[in-house]
Amino acid sequence: MTSIGTGYDLANSIFSPDGRNFQVEYAVKAVENGGTSIGIRCKDGVVLAVEKLVTSKLLKPSANKRIATVDRHLGVVYSGMIPDGRHFIDRARDEARAWRDTFKTPISTADLASRMGGYMQAYTLYQSVRPFGITAIVGGFDSTAEATVDGEVGAGPSCGAGGKVAGKTHGGPFLYMIEPSGLYWGYYGAATGKGRQAAKAELEKLDLGGPAGGPALTLEEAVKEAARIIYVAHDDDKEFELEMTWISGLDGPTKGLHQEVPKALREEAERLAKKAQEGKMEE
Amino acid sequence: MDHRPQAWGRPRDDVYGAYDASYLQTNGPKTATQSPIVTGTSVIAIKFKDGVVMAADNLASYGSLARFTDVKRLRPFLSTSIVGFGGDVSDMQFLDRHLNELAIDEAYEHESTATTDTDSPSKTGQLNAANLHKYLSKLMYRRRSDFDPLWNQVLVAGFDAHAKPFLASVDLRGTTFTSPSLATGFGAMLAQPIMRRFAATEEDAAALTREQAVDVVKECMKVLFYRDARSLDRYSIAVVTKDGVELSEDEQLEKQSWAFAERIRGYGTQVV
């Protein structure tokens, strides 16, 4: 980088003359070294997956989970510096709780992404701090049911809440990715970390009901695709564990909760992923 | 007209006289709940062979007025325990929100050990009913010691650390006790003797089947509706077993017989 040694990369809160914040760009570099994380938003839910690099044989398999739950219906996965990610999750949980305290209802995925985007952005503004060395993918399923209020005791009128537009639905699956700069966008499929290029290429091939519309992938198909993409994006000579979680609507397998993908389904997805890999090798 | 900003929006002194500022005193005595306002009546529960049955009617009274008739007073916790609230409804809501927060935090703590592969509701390390009861008893005692009690009597049902059916109560003073069958409020007088006929001891309770326990509880709810003027014929019933909590929140009392009422004399419009 030509900018090194010019002095503009020493701190946040100082732009370079061509309008860049180098500290943020270096944070992105930290993310690019982390294990690949992906998120897929499909018709009836969201799947999150991460390539968890095994740094030592002394680590207990399947311990030290990388995907965390926020409230009940949101999941967060991240690539980059793990301690930064742990703090990000702590903060996200605080935000979700504060939201419930204030509004007596669960935070929506968009609102959490907004709050956390704002939080990350604040770490690009001051001398005294450094940006987060992570890119986080936030997935969630906002309830499509009549919104309940925490602590409510009665059912209310049998026609439900008023002010409704006929045929208008609300809630559904959502996926956001938040970068070290604080930039966050909603995605149909998101990938970050070391294998993001390969993963993005694979995600683009999927039918995620994007702007063109059309039938989107189902949740179970998305789980299998997620496993396959992590295997495709993986750099062969390193050990890794696949960690996957999913969130469906109230009528789906997780009943609106963010949960680990059941072992049987995950192993099936991994088997298919390995098979697809071997098929490619032979070609 | 007084145009000074500090006089804006205030009653004019020349019309209403000077305001008595002593009403604005902030250094008066500290006040807390002196009595409940909107209340729920009895909660009853009985243990059986593989769990606990609990019931409470769906009424919240405002004094003697039957104010709210679809109030859910049985609250599941982590889908492994059930908490039944008698007494003040707003304090119940406070506790419900607090327990909801607690349940979310619990899930964070234990998500690494909680696998979705085992469908067992009692995940290792999660708060069981005995832990929850202990927690609530500390909370209630703390609040009464602050002279600001939560005006409830609470029944907690579920399983203890040894996976045995668990049932205990805590009241607004932090008093706790446990028994094979428990009832709060009027139920302690009217339902408890009936339940004790079926489950006087832990051994008796361990011999009860689920159907028997549900029948006893339904019978007790009927007796309570006959004799408790702050009760309702719609109620909630919950059965906690190792498979989780089955909660039904819109039950109707069946096979009522008011024949006995004919013989009661000396109330209302009847002439003795």
Side-chain angles (χ1 to χ4, degrees), chain A residues 58 67 73 125-126 183 191 194 221 232 240 246 279:
Chain A
L58 299 172
I67 312 182
H73 60 298
L125 293 173
Y126 306 99
L183 174 93
K194 196 175 276 175
E221 287 166 348
V232 167
F240 83 105
W246 59 354

PDB file of all heavy atoms in Angstrom, chain A residues 58 67 73 125-126 183 191 194 221 232 240 246 279:
ATOM      1  N   LEU A  58      -6.009 -29.790  20.486  1.00  0.00           N
ATOM      2  CA  LEU A  58      -6.350 -29.860  21.905  1.00  0.00           C
ATOM      3  C   LEU A  58      -7.717 -29.241  22.202  1.00  0.00           C
ATOM      4  O   LEU A  58      -8.207 -29.340  23.314  1.00  0.00           O
ATOM      5  CB  LEU A  58      -5.280 -29.145  22.737  1.00  0.00           C
ATOM      6  CG  LEU A  58      -3.889 -29.763  22.607  1.00  0.00           C
ATOM      7  CD1 LEU A  58      -2.864 -28.894  23.307  1.00  0.00           C
ATOM      8  CD2 LEU A  58      -3.868 -31.162  23.183  1.00  0.00           C
ATOM      9  N   ILE A  67     -21.521 -19.210  16.319  1.00  0.00           N
ATOM     10  CA  ILE A  67     -22.767 -18.522  15.975  1.00  0.00           C
ATOM     11  C   ILE A  67     -23.559 -18.333  17.264  1.00  0.00           C
ATOM     12  O   ILE A  67     -23.733 -19.279  18.028  1.00  0.00           O
ATOM     13  CB  ILE A  67     -23.610 -19.324  14.950  1.00  0.00           C
ATOM     14  CG1 ILE A  67     -22.722 -19.783  13.786  1.00  0.00           C
ATOM     15  CG2 ILE A  67     -24.764 -18.469  14.446  1.00  0.00           C
ATOM     16  CD1 ILE A  67     -23.448 -20.536  12.706  1.00  0.00           C
ATOM     17  N   HIS A  73     -35.012 -14.916  18.384  1.00  0.00           N
ATOM     18  CA  HIS A  73     -35.316 -15.103  16.970  1.00  0.00           C
ATOM     19  C   HIS A  73     -34.217 -14.575  16.058  1.00  0.00           C
ATOM     20  O   HIS A  73     -34.434 -14.447  14.861  1.00  0.00           O
ATOM     21  CB  HIS A  73     -36.624 -14.393  16.640  1.00  0.00           C
ATOM     22  CG  HIS A  73     -36.558 -12.907  16.905  1.00  0.00           C
ATOM     23  ND1 HIS A  73     -36.344 -12.413  18.166  1.00  0.00           N
ATOM     24  CD2 HIS A  73     -36.628 -11.848  16.100  1.00  0.00           C
ATOM     25  CE1 HIS A  73     -36.313 -11.085  18.094  1.00  0.00           C
ATOM     26  NE2 HIS A  73     -36.470 -10.723  16.841  1.00  0.00           N
ATOM     27  N   LEU A 125     -14.806   6.697  14.517  1.00  0.00           N
ATOM     28  CA  LEU A 125     -14.844   8.153  14.638  1.00  0.00           C
ATOM     29  C   LEU A 125     -13.802   8.755  15.564  1.00  0.00           C
ATOM     30  O   LEU A 125     -13.548   9.943  15.502  1.00  0.00           O
ATOM     31  CB  LEU A 125     -16.228   8.585  15.141  1.00  0.00           C
ATOM     32  CG  LEU A 125     -17.405   8.368  14.204  1.00  0.00           C
ATOM     33  CD1 LEU A 125     -18.694   8.686  14.925  1.00  0.00           C
ATOM     34  CD2 LEU A 125     -17.275   9.249  12.977  1.00  0.00           C
ATOM     35  N   TYR A 126     -13.248   7.932  16.468  1.00  0.00           N
ATOM     36  CA  TYR A 126     -12.454   8.531  17.539  1.00  0.00           C
ATOM     37  C   TYR A 126     -11.022   8.024  17.557  1.00  0.00           C
ATOM     38  O   TYR A 126     -10.753   6.863  17.268  1.00  0.00           O
ATOM     39  CB  TYR A 126     -13.117   8.252  18.897  1.00  0.00           C
ATOM     40  CG  TYR A 126     -14.557   8.701  18.936  1.00  0.00           C
ATOM     41  CD1 TYR A 126     -15.591   7.794  18.745  1.00  0.00           C
ATOM     42  CD2 TYR A 126     -14.865  10.045  19.123  1.00  0.00           C
ATOM     43  CE1 TYR A 126     -16.912   8.210  18.752  1.00  0.00           C
ATOM     44  CE2 TYR A 126     -16.186  10.470  19.129  1.00  0.00           C
ATOM     45  CZ  TYR A 126     -17.207   9.551  18.943  1.00  0.00           C
ATOM     46  OH  TYR A 126     -18.499   9.973  18.946  1.00  0.00           O
ATOM     47  N   LEU A 183     -21.076   0.112   7.766  1.00  0.00           N
ATOM     48  CA  LEU A 183     -21.990  -0.064   6.631  1.00  0.00           C
ATOM     49  C   LEU A 183     -22.807  -1.340   6.811  1.00  0.00           C
ATOM     50  O   LEU A 183     -22.258  -2.383   7.116  1.00  0.00           O
ATOM     51  CB  LEU A 183     -21.168  -0.169   5.341  1.00  0.00           C
ATOM     52  CG  LEU A 183     -21.969  -0.508   4.093  1.00  0.00           C
ATOM     53  CD1 LEU A 183     -22.386   0.755   3.385  1.00  0.00           C
ATOM     54  CD2 LEU A 183     -21.174  -1.415   3.193  1.00  0.00           C
ATOM     55  N   ALA A 191     -21.823 -13.280   2.307  1.00  0.00           N
ATOM     56  CA  ALA A 191     -20.628 -14.067   2.617  1.00  0.00           C
ATOM     57  C   ALA A 191     -19.507 -13.134   3.016  1.00  0.00           C
ATOM     58  O   ALA A 191     -19.389 -12.024   2.487  1.00  0.00           O
ATOM     59  CB  ALA A 191     -20.216 -14.908   1.417  1.00  0.00           C
ATOM     60  N   LYS A 194     -12.387 -15.365   4.649  1.00  0.00           N
ATOM     61  CA  LYS A 194     -11.375 -15.757   3.681  1.00  0.00           C
ATOM     62  C   LYS A 194     -11.948 -16.227   2.350  1.00  0.00           C
ATOM     63  O   LYS A 194     -11.512 -15.815   1.287  1.00  0.00           O
ATOM     64  CB  LYS A 194     -10.504 -16.867   4.292  1.00  0.00           C
ATOM     65  CG  LYS A 194      -9.211 -17.090   3.568  1.00  0.00           C
ATOM     66  CD  LYS A 194      -8.353 -18.117   4.292  1.00  0.00           C
ATOM     67  CE  LYS A 194      -7.542 -17.466   5.400  1.00  0.00           C
ATOM     68  NZ  LYS A 194      -6.808 -18.454   6.193  1.00  0.00           N
ATOM     69  N   GLU A 221     -33.294 -27.025   1.747  1.00  0.00           N
ATOM     70  CA  GLU A 221     -32.374 -26.925   0.606  1.00  0.00           C
ATOM     71  C   GLU A 221     -31.268 -25.927   0.930  1.00  0.00           C
ATOM     72  O   GLU A 221     -30.099 -26.148   0.609  1.00  0.00           O
ATOM     73  CB  GLU A 221     -33.133 -26.455  -0.644  1.00  0.00           C
ATOM     74  CG  GLU A 221     -34.042 -27.505  -1.249  1.00  0.00           C
ATOM     75  CD  GLU A 221     -35.040 -26.938  -2.263  1.00  0.00           C
ATOM     76  OE1 GLU A 221     -35.188 -25.687  -2.329  1.00  0.00           O
ATOM     77  OE2 GLU A 221     -35.666 -27.729  -2.949  1.00  0.00           O
ATOM     78  N   VAL A 232     -16.976 -25.590  -0.505  1.00  0.00           N
ATOM     79  CA  VAL A 232     -16.374 -25.051  -1.737  1.00  0.00           C
ATOM     80  C   VAL A 232     -15.386 -23.943  -1.396  1.00  0.00           C
ATOM     81  O   VAL A 232     -14.279 -23.878  -1.932  1.00  0.00           O
ATOM     82  CB  VAL A 232     -17.476 -24.505  -2.690  1.00  0.00           C
ATOM     83  CG1 VAL A 232     -16.862 -23.668  -3.807  1.00  0.00           C
ATOM     84  CG2 VAL A 232     -18.293 -25.657  -3.270  1.00  0.00           C
ATOM     85  N   PHE A 240     -11.201 -28.036   9.614  1.00  0.00           N
ATOM     86  CA  PHE A 240     -12.273 -27.119  10.044  1.00  0.00           C
ATOM     87  C   PHE A 240     -13.508 -27.873  10.478  1.00  0.00           C
ATOM     88  O   PHE A 240     -13.666 -29.062  10.197  1.00  0.00           O
ATOM     89  CB  PHE A 240     -12.605 -26.123   8.929  1.00  0.00           C
ATOM     90  CG  PHE A 240     -13.564 -26.661   7.893  1.00  0.00           C
ATOM     91  CD1 PHE A 240     -14.876 -26.240   7.872  1.00  0.00           C
ATOM     92  CD2 PHE A 240     -13.131 -27.585   6.956  1.00  0.00           C
ATOM     93  CE1 PHE A 240     -15.758 -26.737   6.914  1.00  0.00           C
ATOM     94  CE2 PHE A 240     -14.011 -28.075   5.999  1.00  0.00           C
ATOM     95  CZ  PHE A 240     -15.318 -27.656   5.973  1.00  0.00           C
ATOM     96  N   TRP A 246     -30.204 -22.226  12.031  1.00  0.00           N
ATOM     97  CA  TRP A 246     -31.294 -21.812  11.170  1.00  0.00           C
ATOM     98  C   TRP A 246     -32.414 -21.165  11.977  1.00  0.00           C
ATOM     99  O   TRP A 246     -32.500 -21.336  13.195  1.00  0.00           O
ATOM    100  CB  TRP A 246     -31.811 -22.954  10.310  1.00  0.00           C
ATOM    101  CG  TRP A 246     -32.323 -24.165  11.032  1.00  0.00           C
ATOM    102  CD1 TRP A 246     -32.261 -24.393  12.377  1.00  0.00           C
ATOM    103  CD2 TRP A 246     -32.973 -25.299  10.454  1.00  0.00           C
ATOM    104  NE1 TRP A 246     -32.826 -25.598  12.663  1.00  0.00           N
ATOM    105  CE2 TRP A 246     -33.279 -26.177  11.509  1.00  0.00           C
ATOM    106  CE3 TRP A 246     -33.332 -25.660   9.179  1.00  0.00           C
ATOM    107  CZ2 TRP A 246     -33.921 -27.401  11.294  1.00  0.00           C
ATOM    108  CZ3 TRP A 246     -33.966 -26.874   8.977  1.00  0.00           C
ATOM    109  CH2 TRP A 246     -34.249 -27.727  10.017  1.00  0.00           C
ATOM    110  N   GLY A 279     -16.962 -35.035  -6.616  1.00  0.00           N
ATOM    111  CA  GLY A 279     -17.414 -34.996  -8.013  1.00  0.00           C
ATOM    112  C   GLY A 279     -16.626 -33.978  -8.807  1.00  0.00           C
ATOM    113  O   GLY A 279     -16.202 -34.230  -9.932  1.00  0.00           O
TER     114      GLY A 279
END
